[in-house]
């Protein structure tokens, strides 16, 4: 795998930010307390317990709604510089619409933000981490084009209430999980299973909603509040399965369909969906007998409106896939994004595992991805907003310590050897939390949370101590 893995420097630049991350549904609990409305994850876990590995819910989760002071104390102890958390739309707007604002929701986030600032921890706030208000989902959620306006209204409430103190914003976390897995499949809420149709429609509206919120901030709030705003998109690195030209092209296609789908319209200088998608989706749609392409089109004005709606690039990254070319996928069954992409992907069996089947430890893939981002999107500042490792919750979590050592080192390689402009890094996650379909089985926390204890006792793991040392020394080697 070439020269990746060689270390030039092991220090973080002076202005580099080290932090940690969580998301509202995964940690807050208090699902129906203090005026919060129902969201799609409340509905999904309550009506389909069999879809969650341990039949659990986020009803209480880490109870961070009541225990946020403890969470901030844990962060203070580690010395993190920023905390990435998400707002529960339904806690702020119980019906999803902006005509009814829940004062307790506003108070909760004000308390959290004020406490962070008092402790010199910068808040990085995600407006949406998958928990659509149920009343909006009942109207089609992101498959309804009006979602663009509803999201704008919500964003306005958020900027008005918190923008005087919050200077770093993310509109959406990982549109792929909302649209590809939640609408295209059933691996995430709401689980429509409208593959190859609903997922494209969802992404189309979500990207427009992002751009709307960006322009709102840019025009009406930035002049006074002076912050930065972007979106976070996730991808695995896509490595060609063999050296053949066909597989190399397949890996490029795969990352276009997996990441470029959401990123190109916003970050690519030309805007719009990747060319390969605009070619392959209409072609296959036609062969399937559709009268028009399943991929919606942006108008010229929309392309211009969406292009450039970022102040930095938010990236979530965990692992790598091998990709091979599938030249001919027979026309049968439901359409799908994967069929459109004419690729197949898998893991090299020699890659070290985690407790989650999808997450293998492949640090050189992180370096390659960061270099690829620079080539495709130019010298944009990159904020790594999630990276982490799953196990079954051990306190002496040497697997996680090892993962962070390797991935932080791979990131520094990209920065020093390849001059990639990485500015911030957030470890996923501050605490063990509700890991979506995996419930509380697979855990990502730097701190253990006892889910059987009504007090949800937090215990630092070896990785929390490791991260504390990294942050104190601002380097990754020779700190033990
Ligand atoms: C992220 N992949 O999702 C989410 O933002 C978090 O809420 C979640 O807890 C965390 O990862 C761990 O799963 C991803 O396959 C899930 O590359 C899978 C992938 C990437 C991100």
């Amino acid at each position: 795998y070439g020269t990746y893995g060689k270390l030039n420097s092991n220090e973080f630049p002076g202005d580099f930010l080290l932090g940690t991350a969580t998301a509202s549904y995964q940690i807050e609990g208090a699902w129906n307390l203090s005026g919060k409305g129902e969201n799609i994850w409340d509905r999904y876990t309550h009506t389909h317990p069999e879809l969650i590995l341990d039949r659990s819910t986020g009803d209480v989760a880490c109870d961070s709604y009541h225990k946020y002071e403890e969470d901030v104390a844990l962060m203070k102890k580690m010395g993190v510089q920023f905390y990435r958390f998400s707002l529960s739309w339904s806690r702020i707007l119980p019906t999803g619409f902006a005509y009814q604002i829940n004062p307790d929701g506003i108070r909760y986030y004000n308390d959290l933000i004020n406490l962070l600032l008092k402790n010199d921890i910068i808040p990085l706030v995600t407006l949406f981490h998958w928990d659509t208000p149920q009343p909006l989902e009942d109207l089609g959620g992101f498959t309804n084009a009006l979602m663009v306006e509803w999201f704008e209204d919500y964003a306005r409430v958020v900027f008005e209430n918190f923008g005087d103190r919050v200077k770093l914003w993310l509109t959406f976390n990982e549109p792929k999980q909302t649209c590809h897995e939640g609408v295209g499949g059933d691996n995430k809420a709401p689980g429509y299973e409208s593959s190859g149709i609903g997922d494209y429609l969802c992404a189309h509206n979500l990207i427009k909603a992002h751009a709307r919120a960006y322009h709102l901030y840019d025009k009406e709030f930035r002049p006074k509040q002076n912050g930065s705003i972007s979106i976070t998109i996730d991808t695995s690195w896509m490595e060609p399965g063999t050296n053949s030209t066909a597989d190399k092209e397949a890996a490029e296609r795969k990352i276009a369909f997996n990441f470029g789908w959401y990123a190109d319209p916003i970050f690519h200088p030309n805007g719009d969906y990747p060319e390969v998608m605009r070619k392959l989706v209409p072609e296959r749609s036609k062969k399937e007998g559709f009268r028009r392409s399943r991929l919606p089109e942006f108008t010229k004005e929309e392309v211009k409106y969406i292009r450039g709606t970022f102040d930095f690039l938010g990236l979530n990254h965990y692992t790598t896939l091998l990709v091979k070319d599938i030249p001919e996928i027979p026309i049968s069954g439901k359409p799908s994004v994967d069929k459109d992409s004419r690729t197949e992907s898998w893991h090299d069996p020699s890659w070290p595992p985690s407790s989650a089947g999808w997450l293998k430890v492949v640090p050189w893939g992180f370096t390659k991805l960061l270099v690829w981002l620079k080539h495709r999107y130019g010298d944009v500042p990159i904020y790594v907003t999630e990276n982490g490792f799953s196990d079954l919750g051990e306190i002496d979590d040497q697997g996680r310590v090892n993962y962070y050592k390797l991935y932080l080192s791979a990131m520094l390689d990209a920065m020093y050897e390849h001059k990639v402009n990485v500015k911030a890094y957030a470890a996923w996650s501050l605490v063990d939390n509700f890991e979506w379909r995996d419930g509380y089985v697979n855990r990502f926390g730097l701190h253990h949370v006892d889910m059987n204890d009504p007090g949800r006792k937090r215990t630092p793991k070896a990785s929390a101590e490791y991260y504390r040392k990294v942050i104190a020394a601002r380097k990754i080697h020779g700190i033990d």
Side-chain angles (χ1 to χ4, degrees):
Y1 296 117
T3 59
Y4 296 99
K6 207 164 68 225
L7 196 69
N8 268 358
S9 168
N10 99 74
E11 287 184 22
F12 294 96
D15 62 351
F16 192 92
L17 296 175
L18 290 158
T20 187
T22 62
S24 50
Y25 185 75
Q26 295 180 275
I27 66 160
E28 283 180 6
W31 81 276
N32 61 353
L33 298 183
S34 303
K36 179 181 161 294
E38 188 190 22
N39 67 41
I40 58 172
W41 277 92
D42 297 319
R43 179 68 64 91
Y44 188 82
T45 55
H46 293 160
T47 54
H48 289 287
E50 76 284 358
L51 293 177
I52 311 298
L53 197 52
D54 55 1
R55 301 180 75 91
S56 63
T57 71
D59 289 2
V60 180
C62 310
D63 201 19
S64 289
Y65 185 69
H66 297 109
K67 297 178 73 75
Y68 69 94
E69 287 166 308
E70 236 178 90
D71 291 346
V72 175
L74 298 177
M75 284 187 266
K76 185 73 186 167
K77 232 171 140 185
M78 284 196 299
V80 298
Q81 295 169 280
F82 74 98
Y83 178 38
R84 171 179 180 237
F85 63 96
S86 81
L87 306 175
S88 160
W89 186 340
S90 310
R91 194 178 293 293
I92 295 173
L93 307 176
T95 66
F97 293 101
Y99 73 103
Q100 254 179 4
I101 301 177
N102 174 26
D104 277 351
I106 302 287
R107 178 197 44 76
Y108 171 63
Y109 293 117
N110 270 333
D111 290 350
L112 173 60
I113 290 163
N114 292 342
L115 189 62
L116 287 168
L117 292 173
K118 209 173 123 195
N119 283 278
D120 294 315
I121 300 169
I122 301 166
L124 194 179
V125 177
T126 311
L127 273 74
F128 180 89
H129 197 122
W130 309 353
D131 42 0
T132 313
Q134 187 60 44
L136 303 186
E137 195 65 59
D138 293 340
L139 300 171
F142 282 96
T143 63
N144 187 331
L146 287 176
M147 195 65 162
V148 177
E149 292 171 18
W150 304 334
F151 184 74
E152 181 188 26
D153 295 344
Y154 163 55
R156 181 185 293 280
V157 171
V158 167
F159 298 146
E160 275 171 358
N161 278 280
F162 311 120
D164 56 332
R165 287 150 295 148
V166 175
K167 303 300 164 189
L168 290 174
W169 298 103
L170 292 163
T171 53
F172 290 96
N173 177 70
E174 301 186 356
K176 183 174 64 209
Q177 329 293 335
T178 297
C179 295
H180 188 46
E181 296 194 7
V183 173
D186 71 345
N187 191 34
K188 294 282 181 324
Y192 282 165
E193 300 192 73
S194 174
S195 67
I197 302 174
D199 36 19
Y200 287 129
L201 180 55
C202 168
H204 203 66
N205 293 327
L206 189 150
I207 290 165
K208 287 189 200 177
H210 158 78
R212 212 34 120 80
Y214 179 93
H215 286 296
L216 171 70
Y217 188 76
D218 199 46
K219 282 197 189 62
E220 297 188 33
F221 292 91
R222 197 203 299 276
K224 264 188 264 142
Q225 300 184 345
N226 237 323
S228 304
I229 178 165
S230 189
I231 183 170
T232 270
I233 308 175
D234 72 291
T235 188
S236 299
W237 169 246
M238 304 299 175
E239 179 75 7
T242 72
N243 264 331
S244 73
T245 310
D247 283 352
K248 283 183 186 158
E249 286 173 4
E252 275 295 325
R253 267 202 318 280
K254 180 78 183 171
I255 203 163
F257 273 85
N258 199 63
F259 186 84
W261 177 8
Y262 315 96
D264 276 26
I266 298 166
F267 296 97
H268 195 276
N270 300 334
D272 211 340
Y273 294 121
E275 222 178 288
V276 65
M277 291 183 74
R278 286 184 282 133
K279 178 173 179 289
L280 292 186
V281 185
E283 269 178 23
R284 190 171 172 92
S285 301
K286 197 167 173 199
K287 283 190 200 153
E288 288 164 334
F290 285 88
R291 300 299 173 95
R292 56 186 78 230
S293 174
R294 290 178 279 98
L295 181 69
E297 280 176 30
F298 291 122
T299 64
K300 276 207 181 78
E301 292 69 41
E302 285 170 343
V303 168
K304 262 181 70 185
Y305 183 78
I306 296 163
R307 190 173 65 194
T309 52
F310 64 90
D311 300 322
F312 57 90
L313 187 155
L315 172 73
N316 290 353
H317 175 73
Y318 289 87
T319 194
T320 285
L321 287 166
L322 294 175
V323 184
K324 78 164 179 229
D325 178 44
I326 307 287
E328 203 51 66
I329 298 187
I331 304 293
S332 80
K334 283 172 98 167
S336 83
V337 177
D338 284 345
K339 288 178 187 168
D340 289 333
S341 79
R342 296 202 285 100
T343 61
E344 219 173 77
S345 56
W346 74 100
H347 292 115
D348 187 320
S350 75
W351 292 343
S354 71
S355 66
W358 59 270
L359 203 173
K360 309 292 176 191
V361 183
V362 196
W364 53 261
F366 192 16
T367 314
K368 285 194 170 190
L369 172 62
L370 289 167
V371 172
W372 181 87
L373 287 173
K374 178 176 169 171
H375 286 151
R376 180 138 190 102
Y377 303 108
D379 200 17
V380 42
I382 296 174
Y383 289 33
V384 177
T385 46
E386 279 181 33
N387 174 243
F389 177 82
S390 89
D391 59 20
L392 299 175
E394 32 291 31
I395 304 285
D396 188 22
D397 57 341
Q398 294 306 323
R400 181 167 295 103
V401 171
N402 181 54
Y403 180 96
Y404 280 125
K405 274 186 191 164
L406 294 170
Y407 272 73
L408 285 170
S409 166
M411 179 179 73
L412 287 171
D413 278 4
M415 293 163 61
Y416 286 104
E417 280 189 41
H418 305 278
K419 306 280 174 262
V420 181
N421 191 10
V422 188
K423 288 290 190 200
Y425 174 94
W428 182 270
S429 175
L430 172 64
V431 282
D432 287 343
N433 56 49
F434 181 77
E435 178 53 18
W436 311 109
R437 297 269 318 252
D438 288 351
Y440 299 104
V441 177
N442 287 320
R443 295 179 174 224
F444 282 82
L446 298 164
H447 296 87
H448 179 268
V449 179
D450 182 353
M451 296 296 169
N452 297 316
D453 169 20
R456 295 297 191 273
K457 186 173 165 22
R458 281 103 160 111
T459 308
K461 301 179 187 176
S463 56
E465 175 56 14
Y466 172 72
Y467 202 39
R468 187 192 66 74
K469 284 186 187 156
V470 167
I471 296 168
R474 296 195 64 81
K475 61 180 190 175
I476 53 174
H477 291 294
I479 57 172
D480 298 308

